[in-house]
Amino acid sequence: MSSNEEEAAGQEANGPPPAEAPAPDGAERVGDRRPPVATRFRPGQSGNPRGRPRRKRHLGAVVARALRERVTVEETDGRVRRLSKLEATVKQIVDGATKGDARATKLLFALIKADERALNEPEGGRGTLASEADAIVIAELRRRFAAGNWVSRAQRSGADPSPPTALSQGRGGKRSPLAGEGGGREPNA
């Protein structure tokens, strides 16, 4: 048998890919990736006619938008200026505090304190650690990197064993890497 004859015999055994049987007269072809004609989208008709629903605006966004609106304000000297509602509100609070209004003074100091806190807080997130345990872990990692005692993959897999770092006693009998390493107040001896 020649190679051409073998190929022909192999094709007959496997057979050519099955062709779709022609639809009988008057019937539509329905099947894989062929929905019935009655349910197909018409030309020019969207599959999502109402579109994506608008997202709901949260309270902070609504308040911020309202505070950005501009209003016309007449100054005490008769000048007319256009300010944002936020600027006009702050101006009223400052004027009230200047005149001796206790509530306006209290609110003004609260605003100043909140602004100072916002300026002092780091940009990326919270200003304090979640817990004392986080502080301990960070201090231990810093100590290990500084001393060159960090654990490599080879050490973790057992190829290069080294003894674990001992934790010294901290306050209250807790084991802490900070105790005795300047992490707290040292008692006078």
Side-chain angles (χ1 to χ4, degrees):
M1 210 178 199
S2 71
S3 65
N4 288 342
E5 291 173 0
E6 289 174 7
E7 288 177 19
Q11 283 182 355
E12 289 174 8
N14 294 340
E20 289 187 26
D25 291 332
E28 60 183 271
R29 293 189 332 195
V30 177
D32 187 33
R33 289 175 273 144
R34 290 185 181 273
V37 174
T39 62
R40 294 180 191 170
F41 294 123
R42 305 286 174 245
Q45 177 186 355
S46 169
N48 188 10
R50 291 189 205 121
R52 181 178 180 168
R54 289 186 175 191
R55 66 182 175 111
K56 294 180 181 178
R57 289 186 291 196
H58 59 279
L59 179 63
V62 173
V63 170
R65 186 175 185 183
L67 288 173
R68 280 193 305 265
E69 293 176 2
R70 312 281 294 172
V71 292
T72 304
V73 177
E74 186 174 336
E75 299 278 337
T76 55
D77 60 358
R79 288 185 299 156
V80 177
R81 295 178 54 193
R82 289 193 46 84
L83 301 173
S84 70
K85 287 182 179 179
L86 177 64
E87 290 171 324
T89 303
V90 170
K91 190 169 179 56
Q92 283 183 333
I93 292 170
V94 170
D95 289 345
T98 305
K99 292 177 184 174
D101 182 7
R103 287 177 58 191
T105 304
K106 186 176 180 180
L107 181 58
L108 180 62
F109 284 128
L111 288 173
I112 291 170
K113 192 173 186 178
D115 187 52
E116 286 175 356
R117 264 192 253 123
L119 289 175
N120 291 334
E121 188 171 304
E123 192 64 33
R126 59 182 191 227
T128 60
L129 295 174
S131 68
E132 186 179 330
D134 289 340
I136 292 170
V137 169
I138 290 171
E140 176 66 10
L141 289 173
R142 284 184 179 151
R143 188 189 64 75
R144 285 184 185 183
F145 280 119
N149 291 342
W150 52 277
V151 180
S152 67
R153 285 186 183 178
Q155 289 171 329
R156 276 186 265 148
S157 67
D160 185 16
S162 63
T165 306
L167 299 176
S168 58
Q169 287 294 112
R171 282 188 231 156
K174 295 181 182 176
R175 297 178 65 82
S176 167
L178 298 178
E181 296 181 13
R185 293 179 53 192
E186 296 294 325
N188 293 336

